[in-house]
Amino acid sequence: YDNNQWKTIIVEAYKTKIAEQENMPAKQKIKYRDIIKSISKETGIGQRAVSTTLSEYKKNGTITSPNRKKNRPTSATTIEEVDDFYKNEIRKIIHEFWLRKEIPTMIKVLIIMRENSNFPTFSNISFYKILKDLNFECAKISQDSYNSTLIERGDIVLWRRKYLESIKYYRQQNRPIYYLDETWASNEDTSNKTCVDRSVISDTFLERLTTGQKNQSGKGNKVIIMHIGSSEGFVDGGGQLLSVESNKNSSDCHNVIVDNDHFLEWFTNILPLLKENAVIVMSSASHHSKKKYSFRPTMSWKSQHIINWLEARGEIIDRPLVKRQLLEKVDKLKPLFDSYVIDEVASDHNKIVLRIPPYHDELNPMNLAWSAINNHVKMCRATNNILNVESLINKGVDQVTPIMWLNFVNRVKEVEDKFWKVDFLSDELLDNGRSIFIKEESDINVIVISDSDNDE
C-alpha cells in the first residue's frame, strides 16, 4: 500500500463511524479521540498517522500523498532482485512487533519499510511473494486484507525451536561449538563491493540498524573466504581463500560463492583441526545441505528399476509387489538414505552438524566477524589504496581476537533469547479463545482466525 491508499483506508473508516453515530443521542456518541483509537486498532495504523490524516481531511476535505523523494534502491519487482539481507530485515521487522507485544500486520510492516529509505520498493504482489519465500503466512482477523496478521510457517517455527533447544543442550554438555560461514570480496574495489554482513548485528536487533555493505555488485573477480571459529577465536589453519571470476551480478553471497565440491574438500580438511565431540553450526545454504542420494524412486519409475534401487540398499524382494507396495518400502528406507553428505563426513570424525533456519543469519556470530574484517579492509583501502585483497583479508582475520569472538558469541546468545521469547509471545497474543484454520488464497496461505472455538 502506498501512502494514499492507507490514508483512504483511514478516511473511509472515519466516515463509517460518523455515519453509525448520526442518529445517536449526543451522550452516546464516541469522542473524537476514541474514534482515532478505534480506527488505529482496527486498521493496524498508528494513532499519530490516523490523527494527522483526519486533520488533513477535515481541513481540506480531501487527502494527498506526501511529495517526498527518497534515495531508495531501484524498485524491486521479483524475489530474485531482493537479496538475503533485505529478506532477513523484513523478518526482523515482523519479529520486533511480537517482542513489543504488538501483532504485526501487512500494512504496519509496509509502512515501516516505506519510511526506511534503505529498503527497495515493492509492489503488493511482490511483497506477498517475498513473505511466502520467507515462510510467512497471513492470519486474517477480519475481512480486510490490510489487517492480516503475519505469522511464520509451522515447520520454520519447529526448526527454530529445535535449533534453540539443541544449542542450549550442547552448551550444557560443555561440547565445543564452532561456527562456520563464507563470504566474498571483490578484487577490484573492496570498499564498494564487499559482501560481508547479510544481517543486522544482535545489538541492533530492535533498532533495525545495519552494518556492512548492501547491494554490492557481484561482477568481476572475487575472492571467496571460508572460515570457522568459536568463542576461542578463529581456528588456526581453518581459513581458505579462493579466487574466482564471475560475470553474474549478485548481491547475495551464497548465490555466487561456493560449489559443493570446493566446500566438501575444505570441510573435510578442517575437521581434524577441531576438538573432539564438536558441534559445527552453519546455515542451511544449498552447498551445506547436499543430500547423499539426490533422488529416490517415484511413480514415474519402472517397477524393475525400483526393485533394483531397493536391492542395492539391502532390501530383499522375495514376492511380487505392485508399484505402490514397492514405494512404501522406499518410504521406510528414506530416513536411512536421506542424510546429508557433510553430516556423514562429520560423524566419521566424531562431530555433528547443526543447521540454522533460513534467514536467521544473526544466529551465527561469524557474520559479526565478517563485519570486523570488512571494516579493516575498507580502512586499509581508503588510506593505503592496497589492491591485494587477499592480503587485506588475512590481516583482517588476524585483527579479530579471541576476546572479540567471545563477545560475538555472547551477543548471539542474546539474540537466541529474543527468538526464544518471540514464539511464546506470538502464541500468547493469538491465543485469545480463537480458532485458526488455513485456506489457500492466491500465492500465499491465509490463516483465518475466528472468534468461535467451534468453527469448522
Side-chain angles (χ1 to χ4, degrees):
Y1 297 92
D2 58 30
N3 288 321
N4 201 53
Q5 284 177 299
W6 60 258
K7 282 188 173 186
T8 301
I9 291 169
I10 293 170
V11 172
E12 291 302 318
Y14 175 72
K15 289 179 179 179
T16 300
K17 292 189 177 298
I18 294 300
E20 290 173 350
Q21 299 184 82
E22 188 173 351
N23 298 322
M24 288 184 181
K27 291 183 178 181
Q28 295 182 10
K29 290 184 178 180
I30 304 174
K31 295 181 180 179
Y32 181 68
R33 180 178 295 181
D34 292 332
I35 290 178
I36 292 174
K37 291 180 180 179
S38 178
I39 294 174
S40 175
K41 183 177 180 180
E42 291 174 5
T43 63
I45 302 172
Q47 292 184 30
R48 184 174 181 179
V50 173
S51 177
T52 302
T53 301
L54 292 182
S55 295
E56 177 189 355
Y57 173 71
K58 293 175 72 175
K59 180 179 179 180
N60 303 324
T62 185
I63 53 174
T64 59
S65 181
N67 185 22
R68 294 181 295 176
K69 292 185 178 180
K70 297 182 178 180
N71 295 321
R72 293 182 180 274
T74 304
S75 177
T77 57
T78 64
I79 294 178
E80 291 74 16
E81 294 174 354
V82 183
D83 65 15
D84 283 357
F85 177 90
Y86 289 117
K87 291 176 183 177
N88 209 38
E89 287 293 292
I90 292 170
R91 180 191 52 72
K92 290 176 186 177
I93 290 173
I94 296 171
H95 280 181
E96 288 167 17
F97 281 101
W98 294 119
L99 289 169
R100 295 195 300 268
K101 295 188 177 182
E102 183 180 353
I103 292 180
T105 64
M106 289 278 292
I107 196 166
K108 288 179 182 178
V109 176
L110 284 169
I111 287 173
I112 289 177
M113 291 168 60
R114 296 280 193 265
E115 292 174 348
N116 188 336
S117 60
N118 289 322
F119 276 104
T121 55
F122 308 107
S123 68
N124 291 349
I125 294 176
S126 293
F127 189 58
Y128 267 101
K129 290 180 178 179
I130 292 168
L131 288 173
K132 184 178 181 181
D133 188 54
L134 282 168
N135 305 302
F136 277 94
E137 298 169 325
C138 290
K140 278 193 172 183
I141 298 178
S142 68
Q143 294 301 314
D144 301 319
S145 60
Y146 59 80
N147 202 30
S148 297
T149 300
L150 301 176
I151 62 176
E152 283 174 290
R153 215 173 60 202
D155 59 322
I156 297 300
V157 174
L158 292 175
W159 187 340
R160 182 168 61 236
R161 301 303 296 183
K162 183 178 179 180
Y163 173 84
L164 295 173
E165 290 171 353
S166 298
I167 198 74
K168 183 178 180 180
Y169 172 77
Y170 293 138
R171 289 196 185 110
Q172 291 174 344
Q173 298 296 312
N174 293 319
R175 296 183 65 168
I177 298 177
Y178 295 89
Y179 300 88
L180 172 155
D181 199 15
E182 315 87 15
T183 190
W184 60 266
S186 170
N187 233 331
E188 298 175 355
D189 185 2
T190 304
S191 62
N192 291 328
K193 300 176 183 176
T194 303
C195 183
V196 176
D197 191 11
R198 287 162 289 132
S199 70
V200 176
I201 64 176
S202 57
D203 279 353
T204 60
F205 182 83
L206 296 178
E207 293 84 2
R208 301 193 315 279
L209 301 178
T210 59
T211 59
Q213 297 288 325
K214 302 186 295 294
N215 286 344
Q216 291 84 18
S217 170
K219 294 180 179 178
N221 296 327
K222 293 185 295 296
V223 175
I224 297 168
I225 173 173
M226 300 182 286
H227 222 313
I228 186 169
S230 69
S231 57
E232 297 179 355
F234 277 115
V235 174
D236 290 338
Q240 182 175 349
L241 300 181
L242 298 173
S243 294
V244 296
E245 183 175 352
S246 174
N247 295 321
K248 184 176 180 179
N249 186 11
S250 174
S251 57
D252 183 357
C253 300
H254 280 154
N255 283 342
V256 295
I257 51 176
V258 184
D259 61 41
N260 292 324
D261 294 335
H262 274 129
F263 177 78
L264 179 59
E265 180 183 0
W266 170 74
F267 182 78
T268 304
N269 291 336
I270 65 169
L271 289 175
L273 304 177
L274 311 183
K275 295 180 179 180
E276 284 297 308
N277 206 29
V279 178
I280 306 170
V281 176
M282 64 183 72
S283 73
S284 56
S286 59
H287 56 280
H288 295 166
S289 307
K290 182 182 179 182
K291 293 291 185 70
K292 185 175 181 180
Y293 299 97
S294 58
F295 60 89
R296 61 188 179 94
T298 65
M299 279 297 292
S300 64
W301 285 36
K302 292 183 178 180
S303 294
Q304 187 58 49
H305 291 168
I306 300 176
I307 293 173
N308 294 341
W309 187 93
L310 288 167
E311 291 180 339
R313 286 153 182 79
E315 190 73 9
I316 298 175
I317 309 299
D318 55 1
R319 70 183 193 279
L321 297 174
V322 299
K323 190 177 292 187
R324 288 291 184 184
Q325 289 176 301
L326 293 172
L327 290 176
E328 183 181 29
K329 289 183 174 292
V330 170
D331 289 337
K332 291 179 180 179
L333 288 177
K334 181 181 177 181
L336 300 177
F337 297 97
D338 199 33
S339 59
Y340 296 107
V341 174
I342 64 170
D343 290 32
E344 293 199 357
V345 173
S347 179
D348 291 341
H349 289 77
N350 194 31
K351 297 167 179 64
I352 63 169
V353 172
L354 186 61
R355 287 177 179 81
I356 296 171
Y359 307 114
H360 286 66
D361 286 353
E362 67 269 42
L363 289 173
N364 192 339
M366 186 67 80
N367 286 285
L368 303 177
W370 291 149
S371 291
I373 294 170
N374 181 46
N375 289 335
H376 171 80
V377 173
K378 288 195 295 182
M379 289 177 61
C380 291
R381 271 281 171 85
T383 56
N384 300 321
N385 197 28
I386 302 173
L387 297 178
N388 189 339
V389 68
E390 291 94 338
S391 175
L392 292 177
I393 290 173
N394 285 326
K395 290 180 179 178
V397 169
D398 293 338
Q399 296 292 319
V400 182
T401 65
I403 293 178
M404 293 173 66
W405 255 102
L406 181 60
N407 289 334
F408 295 159
V409 172
N410 287 336
R411 288 157 73 178
V412 165
K413 289 180 181 178
E414 295 175 3
V415 176
E416 291 172 3
D417 291 338
K418 291 187 175 76
F419 275 123
W420 187 264
K421 295 176 183 177
V422 160
D423 298 319
F424 285 110
L425 288 171
S426 61
D427 281 353
E428 178 185 337
L429 291 171
L430 290 175
D431 190 12
N432 189 25
R434 296 170 172 181
S435 59
I436 301 177
F437 59 95
I438 298 177
K439 69 176 183 178
E440 293 291 330
E441 181 172 297
S442 185
D443 291 327
I444 188 169
N445 283 340
V446 176
I447 299 178
V448 181
I449 301 179
S450 171
D451 289 327
S452 172
D453 287 330
N454 299 317
D455 288 322
E456 296 180 357

